[in-house]
Amino acid sequence: MSSRPLILYFGSFNPVHAGHIAVAEAALRHFGGEADLWFMLSARNPFKTEAEMWPDERRWALLQAALDGRAAMRACDWELHLPRPSYTVRTLEAVRAREGADRPLFLLMGEDNLPRFTQWRAYETILDWCRVLVYPRASADEPAEAAREAVPQLQASLSAYADRFILLRGVLYPQSSTAIRAQAAAADPVTPIMSATPIMSATPAAAATPAALIGHAPADWAQCLQWRGEKAQALREAARQVKLQTVGREVYLRGLIEYSNICRKNCYYCGIRAGNPAVARYTVTEAEVLAAVENAYRAGFGSIVLQSGERQDRDFIETVERLLKAAMRLSDGRLGITLSLGEQTLETYKRWREAGATRYLLRIETSNPTLYAQLHPADHRFADRLKALEALQAADYQVGSGVMIGLPGQTPEDLAADLAFFRDFGIDMVGMGPYIEHHETPLYARRHEIPTLAERYELSLNMLALLRLIMPTVNMAATTAMASLHPRGREEALRVAANVIMPNITPARYRGDYFLYENKLCICESERDAKDRIEALVQAAGGEIRYFEKGDPQHYFERLAPSDEP
Ligand code: SAH
Ligand code: SF4
């Protein structure tokens, strides 16, 4: 059993902030760093409203994230599991049972707690078991003056225990949980949550961004991506809070039409690559595309996505242009139209933009040029892909991109660099999901080099969560590939970070032939069933579908009109 002093810092940490950390550091300094400190999270008072006291899971997630990487500090959730009501003495009993009665215990508390201390259950026992580290309290939560006046009174009643109290000096308590919660509930959609995410630095500048949680550099992100279990939950919970404060609970529908599986390219990972002779090639007829568009529009889909294999011939370009114009006509220009038709010239992009498309999805696939070269034949150049993305921005599209997660040869550092790429390039919409092997592709030969399905799923959720923290206002899709990996994959993606879902509205007879990867989810039910399922899925994720709304990414407007604020 350890004889190292153990400091117990009880509190609701509602939410944890720089002030708490400063107090904890001061307490550790008192022992010259030769002590451990546990943050003992108290259970939610059932009589408090959610605005007054955040739910246990939320406070717990933020606390864990805030303490990550702080060697001497750890979060402890025992009080959430011990019988109610919670009494400090009962929790101390549990600590002594585990740590041994000889381990020196220290209770860390603010001086404002002292006046009421003699009303604590079995306070004498507590003082027998622990010494008390008292820190001066100067916060907006409770005026310090009132507490100080009560101290002499207390000293009298506790005189027999005077030596049990140690006053910590030089502690600043610069923050107030009340103020942070008020900010989080305020109208400003972006800044409040930045303060409400765990603030681990006492300096306001560093505290003002979610970087406080995930670090500033891609090297930190590479670490976060590998978090699993409780740490991953904390990361995802923080992302969820940022999502709720920025893009909110709203979920937008994009009806996905897999227009054609004819492709001129030969990407090594893709089942419909030109070199796969086993594919029955199709192109949906114009009449069928327009019927699907009209159905979707009537059903309240705010936008549709036209996706296909890559073709650059004149006939293809003109047909797409005609389809765009017809779709705009049938919806009186109200439908949002996204294209995902691969690399094209600036001229083609402009032409389609003028015909009515406002968004374009073109994945970078990986931001590592060396890895890109391993995934494609030599004539599919990374530089061309970048140029195409630049052309899309120049043609004034809302630009979407993404990567595949769990590719052979891909490292956490590559994935972290992908996130930096989205940020630095100014991508407005992100669709990323796991790489899933396809047995008729060249990359299948490297299937032993990739993470397990479960690992790819975890990694993908962490990617989504991190991106939501790094780019709070982008639109993010819960991809079909997520659903193919896990029955609740899309639901979890929506819960944590995504705000867009793309139900497949391709006419049923073509669906089985757009086979990019194995086990691709092929919804073969009627439209009606599909709609009910999507609604249930979004609801289970705590979201709310916005019918008849395009749901343009906030990020696009911010990109066009950057704010003056630092
Ligand atoms: N031809 C267009 C659009 C269709 S492919 C294009 O390439 O942009 C759309 C996306 O499917 C690709 O960007 C790729 O990221 C994804 N995809 C292809 N094969 C995949 C696989 N085996 N696993 C996961 N995603 C895959
Ligand atoms: Fe064609 Fe797109 Fe598949 Fe590449 S990923 S082979 S461009 S459909």
Side-chain angles (χ1 to χ4, degrees), residues 263-270 307-312 339-346 349 360-369 371-373 375-394 399-404 407 418 421-422 425 427 431:
C263 188
R264 58 188 281 273
K265 286 221 166 147
N266 259 314
C267 308
Y268 292 156
Y269 41 84
C270 177
Q307 186 179 81
S308 102
E310 188 174 300
R311 277 175 60 186
Q312 296 179 333
L339 297 178
S340 176
L341 308 173
E343 291 172 25
Q344 306 287 343
T345 62
L346 175 61
Y349 285 148
Y360 206 104
L361 304 175
L362 182 68
R363 286 184 170 181
I364 189 77
E365 313 296 0
T366 169
S367 63
N368 176 344
L371 186 55
Y372 190 94
L375 303 172
H376 300 95
D379 61 343
H380 298 21
R381 293 177 48 232
F382 181 78
D384 292 340
R385 177 105 342 185
L386 262 185
K387 231 168 67 190
L389 283 167
E390 279 160 10
L392 287 165
Q393 264 186 356
V399 181
S401 195
V403 292
M404 283 176 286
L407 289 160
D418 293 340
F421 170 81
F422 300 144
F425 194 90
I427 291 296

Side-chain angles (χ1 to χ4, degrees), residues 401-470:
S401 195
V403 292
M404 283 176 286
I405 299 163
L407 289 160
Q410 188 181 44
T411 63
E413 286 71 26
D414 288 328
L415 289 167
D418 293 340
L419 298 173
F421 170 81
F422 300 144
R423 180 195 59 189
D424 299 342
F425 194 90
I427 291 296
D428 304 307
M429 314 174 293
V430 177
M432 54 185 173
Y435 159 68
I436 304 177
E437 57 276 41
H438 185 300
H439 67 285
E440 281 156 348
T441 60
L443 211 57
Y444 193 66
R446 295 183 64 186
R447 65 190 173 283
H448 305 299
E449 295 174 46
I450 57 178
T452 62
L453 288 177
E455 260 301 301
R456 273 175 272 167
Y457 177 67
E458 294 289 320
L459 207 48
S460 300
L461 281 177
N462 283 1
M463 278 288 276
L464 292 168
L466 263 176
L467 184 67
R468 181 54 77 201
L469 293 171
I470 297 164

